[in-house]
Amino acid sequence: MVLPYVTPIFGRVKIKDSSSIEAHTIFTKFLNRNYVTPQLQNTLQQIAYSLDKSNPGIKLVYLDANFPFIDNFPLLPHLSHNDGKKIDISFVYKDQEHHIVNKKPSISGYGVFESPSKQEYQQTNICKQKGYWQYDFTKYFTFGTINKRLKFSKKATKDLLLAIVKQKQVSKIFIEPHLRHRLDIQSPKVRFQGCRAVRHDDHIHLQIK
């Protein structure tokens, strides 16, 4: 109750859930993993507005952001969510009738991967062959799968990525190479996060300048 009034002193604000932005799980808010800088808050609002214009009724659903205080204090298991400028965003999915929905396939929002086809670049295999055993470790952090019949929406997720890319404040976006190619996203902001991190074909990581 107190934190939202105190954190602006430290340059962070609580993400305002609304009709267009919401946390995927209440535990993100309960554990205070939903704080960002005011600049990132404004950027999220612009992304959500753009997503709603292209896909009416579809919300910007976020996963982990940052803790309320202290730069460089780690938000485990993330490597870089420690300054209020980073956040993970969920992909967008469709149901059996091909309707775009706000539902997600796992309780945590992580760990259900949109894996590469045989014809696509196999980044996970490459990283694990190099000894980075942790690369797909988030498969153990779904906390249960739900809505198992949901399918990845190529169209709506591309709309979301394009909305992120066009924001001037956004400096980096991490998704797996095969999804960048599949969605035909041509922007230097969209990058591979490296094998030391975990795979990003279950969510989008974005950060601002």
Side-chain angles (χ1 to χ4, degrees):
M1 294 174 64
V2 175
L3 282 176
Y5 299 97
V6 177
T7 55
I9 299 172
F10 298 87
R12 299 194 191 171
V13 296
K14 182 179 180 180
I15 297 174
K16 298 177 182 177
D17 284 11
S18 66
S19 59
S20 58
I21 302 176
E22 69 176 12
H24 174 57
T25 170
I26 193 172
F27 292 106
T28 299
K29 297 186 283 186
F30 181 74
L31 297 173
N32 294 312
R33 299 165 78 93
N34 61 328
Y35 283 80
V36 295
T37 63
Q39 293 82 6
L40 181 49
Q41 167 83 296
N42 292 336
T43 299
L44 294 174
Q45 291 175 343
Q46 293 300 316
I47 295 168
Y49 174 76
S50 181
L51 179 62
D52 183 66
K53 283 188 67 178
S54 59
N55 297 271
I58 297 304
K59 298 180 180 181
L60 180 69
V61 177
Y62 66 91
L63 307 175
D64 281 343
N66 310 262
F67 282 135
F69 307 114
I70 310 174
D71 283 355
N72 301 316
F73 187 85
L75 184 88
L76 297 176
H78 304 281
L79 298 179
S80 65
H81 289 231
N82 59 13
D83 59 3
K85 296 181 179 180
K86 284 93 174 180
I87 192 168
D88 289 343
I89 303 295
S90 177
F91 292 155
V92 186
Y93 297 87
K94 58 186 178 181
D95 62 18
Q96 284 183 292
E97 287 72 40
H98 302 285
H99 298 142
I100 307 300
V101 295
N102 286 310
K103 296 177 181 180
K104 309 301 173 184
S106 78
I107 291 175
S108 70
Y110 295 101
V112 176
F113 305 120
E114 181 59 25
S115 298
S117 67
K118 292 181 179 180
Q119 292 75 35
E120 292 178 321
Y121 193 68
Q122 303 289 324
Q123 185 66 65
T124 299
N125 292 343
I126 292 170
C127 286
K128 294 183 76 173
Q129 288 166 7
K130 291 181 178 179
Y132 295 98
W133 57 269
Q134 87 297 336
Y135 196 69
D136 64 351
F137 200 66
T138 44
K139 65 186 177 184
Y140 300 113
F141 287 92
T142 63
F143 301 129
T145 54
I146 52 177
N147 305 314
K148 294 182 180 181
R149 296 183 178 181
L150 290 180
K151 299 294 183 182
F152 176 78
S153 173
K154 180 178 175 180
K155 186 265 182 191
T157 301
K158 180 173 182 177
D159 290 341
L160 171 58
L161 274 164
L162 291 175
I164 296 171
V165 164
K166 75 178 184 181
Q167 300 302 316
K168 292 181 179 180
Q169 285 292 325
V170 172
S171 59
K172 294 180 183 179
I173 303 162
F174 295 152
I175 58 169
E176 289 296 299
H178 71 275
L179 289 181
R180 177 180 180 175
H181 183 267
R182 187 189 301 179
L183 300 177
D184 192 26
I185 302 295
Q186 304 296 326
S187 170
K189 294 180 180 181
V190 182
R191 307 178 186 181
F192 170 54
Q193 70 278 354
C195 289
R196 293 182 183 275
V198 296
R199 60 193 287 183
H200 282 64
D201 51 359
D202 58 346
H203 70 281
I204 301 164
H205 168 99
L206 75 90
Q207 58 193 70
I208 61 170
K209 300 174 184 177

